[in-house]
Every structure is written in structure tokens, then in C-alpha cells.
Amino acid sequence: MAETSVPTRPLQKAYDYIVVGSGSGGSPVVRRLIDNTDATVLLIEAGEPGIDVPEIDDPREWVPLGRGRWDWGYDYAPSPLVNGRTIGIPRGKVLGGSSATNALMWYRGNPLDYDAWADAGCERWSFRDVLPYFKRAEDWEGGETTWRGTGGPLKITTSKMLHPVARAMLEGAPDVGIPVIADPNAATNEGACPSNFNLFEGKRWSSAKGYLHPIMDNERLTILTGSQAIGLVIENGRCTGVRHLVDGKPVTTLATTQVVLAAGAIDTPRLLMLSGIGDPAELARLGIPLIHALPGVGRNLQDHPLVQAVVCRSKKPLGPKTDNGGGTMLNWKSRPDLKQPDVHSFPVQGNSAEPRLRELYDMSGEVFSMGAGLMHSKSVGYLRMLTADPFGPLEIQPNYLAEQSDLNALVSAVGTVMDLAETRAFADLFDGFVAPDRRLTKAETVEFVRNGCSTFFHPCGTAKMGRDEMSVVDARLSVHGLDGLTISDASVIPIIPTCNTHAPVTMIGERAADFLMGAA
């Protein structure tokens, strides 16, 4: 692809559509509106362009992106359930959003995830309904199948040469009762398989690269980076514009047709509350005048807990990192009576332990890690603004491990991952456990889980879709009781799916575009 830059166009007073946020949910909306209508579109992005930046493009170097120039710097609030630790929650602040800073995983979970959305009152969001939108987004290296799409904006590939730790996990899985499957994005996700990556010719393929770069020269599209949205304009029950910063100064830009919020599960509810849309009691506490009562704004926060990590001593040097530093994924059931896999593991070509575990165990020397995560989590938290300042602090609480079933599943997953390390496939690599440094009792494993609990970076649900009183958007992603306002990001997810959230949010963006154009 030729070198790309963001064209500079003068900011107009009004556009047909304004999209706030350029990540997995916003980029598809922009692309489809430009491709399929004659509308003018303004895309407002708080971050920088991030184009041709080596650390963003290099799939091996994504971890440091989570606490630097390209990150919002958010944290989950401490909780006794994770032994009072603060857990960082990286969110991309750059064109492409978190798709430009994440682990490059393309994974849609289990078909039952989306059937559960339909059962929860989200009409026409069953897996059968959403599959065409997943396929539309994909340019899958394996070509068109019943389950996969080709020719879409997002390149999706698998490892060209699995790292030794990734290969050992794949080959050892059958010895712990986990079958090997070809593709986690096909009929079933239960098993061990090579990961699907948004990676092409050795470089990250973000939503910005796939959806936005090809249309940047279109005169009907204005992309404004470095511009943070600070409020919505609501007039007579309709959203008519966005207040945002340009060169640090507030301006108001109008939308004649629709405003689309795609700022993510943290900043979309914040923007709603700043605009007087939310729980009347919360707004009163903050001193924000009530414009439109929606008590579910900021509620229903969900994320996947991840125990970082089971760390092992290596018998030999691991060599250079490959792919995203992982390469394979395992999905299995923590209990045989479950309808679908609930736990998940992946390799790390080095040390991925949480700081507390690094304090407790000697991790010197050559080590590798295996994450033990819960994808079918049940614990639910919340997001609160602590001041009415658009740049003020937030209390973001996922309530990790609040549900006993979540804790039990993670205890089981840690045991399975330790069993995996002792299979024949690891014979040439595994030289003993580092963290934990021995087999643990159940009570000790619970403490290990609390000390090692981290995040998959999958916050969602804070402006959920549905029909009940806590829902914020309807099944067409329109905000209940307001005209002219659509939400297209992870905040609308009613029940967290059992996967990385980039793929489902991309699907949501594809559907939002169809709803806006009257095509669905």
C-alpha cells in the first residue's frame, strides 16, 4: 500500500454525519457511509494519526503501547477481590482506536454468545443474523467458506511459523483433553488452534488501515485528529451536534442527519453523562443538568478476567519473538456440564506476570508464560464520573471475581494450564514452574488468582442494547428516547461474548452502518 496521510480539510459548520471515535466500531460506519451514500462525514478522533509508526506496526511490540503516548491511561479501581490492586486498562488513543494498540486477535467467540443477545431482547442479533456482518469485514487468508469471508477491509492471517511455546501448547492440548481444531471462527471454538491475527506481511492491520486509509482522499470525508469530544448538542429531543476541542478550544459542529458515538465502553458513557444523559441521581451528584434520563448509562460494565500468568522456566533460549508474541489459543470447558467453552489460554514468549506475582516469585532467567483466562465471565461492574470535568477522574470497577463461578473457573483453568506444561509436547522446553513455583492447594490457587488477576482489555456493556429499563440503545443501536443519536461500539454489548472484542465490535459497526442507510 502506498504511504498514507490524513488530508487536512477546513472544518465546516455542519456535516450530514458526525462519527466520534475511529476504532473498531467507528471506522466501519465511516467507510460504508462514504462508499454507499453521497453524504458528508466528519470523523472526530481524540488521538493522533499514528500512521507509519514502527511500534504500532510491529505486532511483537504491542504491550508497551498500553501505557504511553497512544493510550488513554485508564485504570480499574482497586478491589478486595483482587487484593487491593489497581489494574491498568489500556485503550487506544490513536486513529484506529484500540485496534491500533491491541494484541491483533480476530476472534468472534461461540455462536451461542449472540443467540444469548437475541434471548435478552435484542431482536435480530442471533448468530445467524450477525454472521454476514462478520464475513463482510473479513479478508480471510483461507478464502470464502460458510463461516468466513473474503475481500473485506480487514486482513486476517495465521502464523507462518509458530513459536516453540505456541507449538507446544497446540501439540500438548490433546493430552489434557482439549482437541485440536482448524479455526476458532468456524462451527465451534472448542479446542486448540492457531490464532487469527489482523496481521499482513509482518505488520499490524488495524481498523484505520483497513477501513479508513483507502477513503482518506474522498472529498466528502473530513478526519479531525487531536480533537476530543466534550459534549453533545441536544435540542427538542434530538442530537444535533457535537462539542469538541480544536487546538484546545471548544467548538460546536452540527450534524444534519445523525451523530454516531463510537468512543468506546469508557468514553461513550462519559460523553453521554457530560451531556446530561444518564441516571438522574448520578447527574445530580455531579451537578450536571438532566437532559434525558437513562439510568443504565455507565452500568453493566463487563470485562474478561485474565490470570497473568503461569510462568515456567525454559530449558533453552526462546529466540526472537514471533507473531504477536503468542501464536495459538485454547478454549475449553472448566466443567463438563457447560454448554460452551468458558476458559481460555494463550502463550507468551517471555514473562507476562502481573507486578504482584513478580514480587512474590523469582522470575530471573529464561522464562515463558501461559495466560489463564475466563471468557464466559458473569461478574458485572460499573463506571462513574467523579467530577463533571471532561478530563476528570473516573471510577471504573469491573468487580472481577465477584461471582463465585468466575473464581471457580479460573482456579480450574490455572490447574489445566499447569497440567499442559507437564505434557510430552513441552519436554524440550519446560524446566519447572516459576509462578506458582509448585503445585498449589485450592485455597492457595484462589490467592494466586487474586494476585494475578488482570484484564483481557475487553470492557463493554456500559450503554447496553435491549428493551428493559437499564438499556440505553434499541436493537437498531439508536439511543432510547432521543432522535439523531446512534451508538456503535463495545458499550452497546448486552452480554460479554466469549472472545476478544475487536471482531464483535467491528460487526456492530458494520450493522450500525446498515441501520443508518436503511439497508437492514
Side-chain angles (χ1 to χ4, degrees):
M1 176 180 288
E3 285 191 15
T4 304
S5 61
V6 178
T8 300
R9 296 194 172 96
L11 183 65
Q12 305 299 313
K13 292 184 178 180
Y15 297 81
D16 294 320
Y17 294 90
I18 299 177
V19 179
V20 180
S22 66
S24 306
S27 290
V29 172
V30 173
R31 175 64 176 272
R32 302 312 181 189
L33 288 174
I34 292 297
D35 280 353
N36 300 308
T37 76
D38 60 1
T40 57
V41 180
L42 171 65
L43 173 58
I44 298 173
E45 167 56 49
E48 301 172 58
I51 296 171
D52 295 327
V53 175
E55 64 265 31
I56 290 177
D57 287 344
D58 189 341
R60 301 167 299 176
E61 298 303 321
W62 66 270
V63 174
L65 298 174
R67 269 297 178 261
R69 172 180 178 180
W70 315 103
D71 180 55
W72 283 91
Y74 293 129
D75 291 310
Y76 283 148
S79 160
L81 296 169
V82 294
N83 288 345
R85 294 178 304 112
T86 298
I87 297 172
I89 178 61
R91 310 307 304 148
K93 189 177 183 181
V94 60
L95 203 66
S98 295
S99 77
T101 63
N102 66 9
L104 300 93
M105 298 289 291
W106 180 264
Y107 178 38
R108 63 174 75 135
N110 191 283
L112 293 175
D113 296 338
Y114 305 97
D115 293 344
W117 294 9
D119 292 343
C122 304
E123 297 89 352
R124 297 185 63 199
W125 284 86
S126 70
F127 183 69
R128 180 179 178 180
D129 294 316
V130 303
L131 178 59
Y133 295 89
F134 280 118
K135 293 178 67 175
R136 178 196 289 181
E138 295 184 337
D139 191 11
W140 167 234
E141 66 176 9
E144 179 87 21
T145 71
T146 301
W147 307 100
R148 306 305 302 263
T150 188
L154 294 182
K155 300 285 189 184
I156 302 164
T157 61
T158 54
S159 178
K160 299 299 178 279
M161 183 177 294
L162 284 174
H163 187 275
V165 179
R167 181 163 297 283
M169 287 188 73
L170 188 67
E171 294 176 351
D175 287 348
V176 294
I178 301 172
V180 173
I181 59 175
D183 182 6
N185 292 315
T188 180
N189 65 332
E190 186 167 4
C193 53
S195 298
N196 283 201
F197 296 126
N198 292 123
L199 200 163
F200 185 66
E201 296 181 343
K203 291 187 176 183
R204 176 189 297 275
W205 195 270
S206 69
S207 297
K209 187 172 286 188
Y211 280 98
L212 299 179
H213 289 192
I215 58 170
M216 280 185 175
D217 289 336
N218 191 295
E219 293 292 335
R220 291 183 287 108
L221 173 62
T222 301
I223 298 177
L224 186 63
T225 57
S227 179
Q228 183 163 338
I230 57 173
L232 303 173
V233 181
I234 308 295
E235 298 176 320
N236 301 317
R238 182 177 183 84
C239 183
T240 59
V242 177
R243 295 191 299 275
H244 55 114
L245 301 181
V246 177
D247 297 326
K249 298 178 181 178
V251 301
T252 297
T253 306
L254 301 180
T256 59
T257 303
Q258 197 86 357
V259 171
V260 180
L261 294 188
I266 294 173
D267 282 288
T268 281
R270 185 213 286 259
L271 193 55
L272 291 170
M273 289 186 281
L274 286 169
S275 308
I277 302 167
D279 183 344
E282 282 291 291
L283 296 174
R285 176 181 61 81
L286 294 163
I288 297 174
L290 175 66
I291 300 296
H292 185 61
L294 283 173
V297 173
R299 301 294 175 178
N300 194 49
L301 173 66
Q302 299 163 68
D303 192 4
H304 296 130
L306 167 64
V307 178
Q308 285 278 60
V310 174
V311 184
C312 305
R313 189 82 59 201
S314 179
K315 288 181 177 178
K316 57 187 179 183
L318 296 172
K321 281 189 287 186
T322 63
D323 302 314
N324 70 339
T328 55
M329 60 188 294
L330 281 68
N331 304 291
W332 72 99
K333 297 172 182 173
S334 64
R335 305 193 323 265
D337 60 310
L338 296 175
K339 292 182 179 180
Q340 65 184 92
D342 63 328
V343 286
H344 175 98
S345 186
F346 58 90
V348 177
Q349 301 160 21
N351 187 355
S352 66
E354 274 289 285
R356 180 65 59 83
L357 295 183
R358 293 176 192 243
E359 295 170 1
L360 296 172
Y361 296 98
D362 176 12
M363 300 189 187
S364 58
E366 193 83 2
V367 299
F368 61 88
S369 309
M370 290 182 279
L374 176 62
M375 287 288 189
H376 211 186
S377 49
K378 301 295 194 297
S379 300
V380 176
Y382 59 86
L383 175 151
R384 300 174 76 213
M385 291 171 56
L386 299 181
T387 77
D389 182 349
F391 302 94
L394 300 171
E395 180 184 346
I396 313 171
Q397 180 53 264
N399 280 333
Y400 280 148
L401 313 181
E403 295 291 334
Q404 185 66 39
S405 62
D406 286 1
L407 184 59
N408 293 345
L410 284 169
V411 167
S412 171
V414 168
T416 300
V417 170
M418 294 183 76
D419 291 343
L420 180 64
E422 294 185 315
T423 60
R424 291 168 295 175
F426 278 91
D428 293 336
L429 281 175
F430 177 69
D431 198 26
F433 292 111
V434 173
D437 54 9
R438 57 181 172 80
R439 291 285 182 167
L440 304 177
T441 66
K442 182 175 181 181
E444 290 172 332
T445 308
V446 166
E447 192 67 8
F448 182 81
V449 168
R450 295 197 193 282
N451 283 327
C453 184
S454 180
T455 172
F456 272 101
F457 325 134
H458 301 159
C460 64
T462 48
K464 77 166 187 168
M465 172 172 39
R467 294 179 295 184
D468 66 329
E469 63 179 13
M470 297 304 286
S471 298
V472 176
V473 300
D474 63 21
R476 294 181 68 83
L477 304 179
S478 296
V479 173
H480 285 299
L482 285 176
D483 293 330
L485 186 58
T486 290
I487 301 179
S488 175
D489 60 30
S491 66
V492 306
I493 291 175
I495 303 167
I496 192 168
T498 57
C499 57
N500 307 73
T501 45
H502 169 53
V505 174
T506 302
M507 174 273 291
I508 288 167
E510 289 279 6
R511 294 210 81 187
D514 267 15
F515 293 146
L516 291 170
M517 296 185 297

